[in-house]
């Protein structure tokens, strides 16, 4: 079977990473969560004091980009790779609300995007990869053999995220999550560099009313057609 590149883009909390992980496992491909990379850079910026009341000191962050080392290290117990920032496992820290609140502001910065896109392209040189994010089918891998674009209503997505964070023991309020989901959609879709948009050749899935298993089957069948 030939190895291909699979790009999964879409709005936040559409279940992209769950599907991408499942697909990568089934196809024995590498899975890369690019949102985790933007989140790790955001955590670095916050820890370095470059974020103040939602404002990011862009110059300071861009000057420090060389000090940020990101690695995905496979955790065989979990069955997927976890994000490490400068040698520290930050998988849990990057999923918290404070990071979610700042990540879209960090993601508009050109220097940040250039660094992360270059890393993502290097990870995909040998194909056999499922990558999820916002600009994978449009910018990172415009020639990906299979592109999926996922949407769902903001309310459905906020409920999903709310349950996820509650399960992780975070003390969260549903209204805050809905606001964060909508705000991130707005910033991600309207930024000048690499805005979130469906690639012309992407297959769109609105999963508001579709179960995970159904979605997985449909996307898996699409991938088999291309492989
Ligand atoms: O996928 P996730 O919701 O974890 O992504 C967090 C944020 O990272 C997004 O809201 C977006 O601002 C940014 N992001 C991006 N480009 C990507 C992946 C994520 O700008 N390829």
């Amino acid at each position: 079977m030939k190895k291909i590149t699979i790009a999964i883009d879409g709005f936040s909390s559409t279940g992209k990473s769950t599907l991408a992980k499942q697909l990568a496992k089934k196809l024995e491909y590498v899975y890369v969560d690019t949102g985790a990379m933007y989140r790790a850079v955001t955590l670095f910026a916050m820890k370095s004091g470059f974020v103040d009341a939602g404002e990011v000191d862009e110059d300071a962050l861009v000057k420090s980009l060389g000090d940020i080392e990101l690695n995905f290290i496979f955790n065989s117990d979990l069955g997927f790779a976890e994000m490490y920032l400068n040698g520290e496992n930050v998988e849990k820290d990057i999923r918290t609300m404070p990071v979610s609140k700042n990540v879209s502001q960090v993601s508009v910065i050109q220097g940040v995007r250039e660094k992360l896109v270059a890393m993502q392209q290097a990870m995909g040189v040998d194909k056999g990869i499922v990558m999820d994010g916002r600009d994978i089918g449009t910018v990172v891998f415009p020639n990906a053999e299979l592109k999926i674009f996922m949407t769902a209503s903001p309310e459905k997505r906020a409920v999903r995220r709310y349950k996820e964070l509650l399960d992780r023991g975070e003390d969260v309020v549903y209204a805050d999550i809905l606001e964060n989901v909508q705000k991130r959609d707005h910033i991600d879709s309207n930024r000048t560099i690499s805005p979130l948009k469906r690639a012309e050749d992407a297959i769109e899935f609105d999963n508001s009313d579709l179960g995970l298993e159904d979605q997985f089957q449909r996307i898996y069948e699409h991938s088999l057609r291309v492989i």
Side-chain angles (χ1 to χ4, degrees):
M1 254 200 249
K2 76 172 197 243
K3 287 209 180 283
I4 63 163
T5 301
I6 302 178
I8 304 189
D9 288 303
F11 293 94
S12 55
S13 307
T14 41
K16 294 187 301 293
S17 39
T18 310
L19 276 172
K21 259 183 216 161
Q22 258 183 305
L23 193 60
K25 197 169 173 193
K26 182 94 177 169
L27 297 171
E28 295 182 11
Y29 276 20
V30 172
Y31 163 62
V32 178
D33 169 4
T34 62
M37 300 168 77
Y38 288 92
R39 286 173 177 276
V41 172
T42 304
L43 183 66
F44 173 88
M46 291 165 69
K47 282 184 166 173
S48 309
F50 300 156
V51 184
D52 184 21
E55 292 290 314
V56 182
D57 183 341
E58 180 173 338
D59 288 345
L61 178 56
V62 170
K63 277 194 195 121
S64 303
L65 284 176
D67 300 334
I68 304 178
E69 195 192 293
L70 301 179
N71 291 105
F72 283 108
I73 299 181
F74 192 76
N75 179 328
S76 51
D77 291 338
L78 297 173
F80 60 86
E82 294 182 293
M83 184 84 250
Y84 283 71
L85 165 65
N86 292 337
E88 189 192 341
N89 184 332
V90 290
E91 189 58 36
K92 284 208 176 77
D93 298 350
I94 59 171
R95 316 271 171 201
T96 58
M97 270 306 272
V99 171
S100 295
K101 282 191 173 155
N102 292 312
V103 65
S104 287
Q105 279 83 351
V106 168
S107 305
V108 300
I109 299 171
Q110 183 169 8
V112 171
R113 300 207 72 83
E114 282 169 3
K115 176 181 168 103
L116 298 191
V117 167
M119 284 178 69
Q120 292 153 10
Q121 289 173 333
M123 289 183 229
V125 281
D126 294 330
K127 301 200 173 207
I129 193 164
V130 183
M131 192 173 276
D132 82 42
R134 303 291 187 288
D135 58 344
I136 313 305
T138 51
V139 175
V140 181
F141 297 124
N143 298 322
E145 289 87 348
L146 178 63
K147 298 181 186 178
I148 307 286
F149 189 81
M150 296 188 42
T151 64
S153 71
E155 290 74 16
K156 291 259 156 111
R157 293 187 280 126
V159 168
R160 258 184 223 146
R161 187 110 196 112
Y162 179 61
K163 286 187 184 152
E164 229 173 81
L165 291 171
L166 281 187
D167 282 350
R168 270 198 231 129
E170 268 208 63
D171 185 15
V172 281
V173 177
Y174 171 76
D176 276 357
I177 309 242
L178 180 61
E179 191 193 327
N180 177 252
V181 160
Q182 289 172 320
K183 203 167 164 186
R184 278 201 285 142
D185 286 354
H186 182 78
I187 301 177
D188 293 348
S189 308
N190 291 287
R191 67 185 175 215
T192 338
I193 317 163
S194 316
L196 164 64
K197 64 167 193 248
R198 173 182 176 276
E200 274 175 21
D201 48 351
I203 303 164
E204 186 161 336
F205 273 87
D206 182 331
N207 70 8
S208 300
D209 299 307
L210 211 58
L212 261 184
E213 193 45 43
D214 269 354
Q215 289 170 61
F216 172 71
Q217 271 313 326
R218 290 191 201 185
I219 294 177
Y220 178 57
E221 278 158 26
H222 276 292
S223 72
L224 291 183
R225 263 176 240 146
V226 190
I227 294 170

